[in-house]
Amino acid sequence: LFLMFCRILQSIQLFTSLTRKSKTILVVKTNAAKRQIARFIELHDTNIAQRVEVIVEHFRTTVMQELGGQAKAMVITASRQGAVKYRQAFEEYITKKGYDGIHALVAFSGKVNIPDDDKEYTEASINGFPEDRLTKEFDTDNYQVLLVANKYQTGFDQPKLCAMYVLKKLRGVNAVQTL
């Protein structure tokens, strides 16, 4: 993450030097720019891969054996794009490590497009079954982790849920209801 931040700073410095040389005046809305940078970092592949590694390793070594090996976890992502990218990184990491017995589902509403990817994603297309079967499928031994984006944060009753990884800021009533 630190290296990614350094690269962003280098890009900003290069951009600044180029605009100085061309005598172009750049007007940027500070808050909008901050949000765009934060979103870029949040959805950057390196950031996601590192977080997935921490989540999988923690779940595998600490949580998975709870409840006689039937423990489940929920990962709360900041966006639907995030849920899709985390699922992709999750499967990639598990395959790379050769882990068996850890599989993830996604939960989000609507359709999602990822920049630089022509494919349109839905919960059903990623999971391989209709949305209305998600809670039943997650309750089986086939799936251990649920990656969510603004769904199932309130009123979701899964007695085997032993860990929650929150990847976004929670405020007010939403924080209380989620946790």
Side-chain angles (χ1 to χ4, degrees), residues 61-76:
T61 60
T62 309
V63 179
M64 196 169 173
Q65 54 272 13
E66 297 292 323
L67 302 178
Q70 293 190 352
K72 307 233 180 234
M74 181 182 285
V75 179
I76 300 172

Side-chain angles (χ1 to χ4, degrees), residues 23 27 31 50 58 70-71 87 97 101-102 125 138 154-155 159:
K23 307 284 189 223
V27 178
N31 289 336
Q50 289 173 348
H58 179 264
Q70 293 190 352
R87 167 64 191 278
K97 289 294 204 170
I102 305 176
S125 71
F138 186 56
T154 60

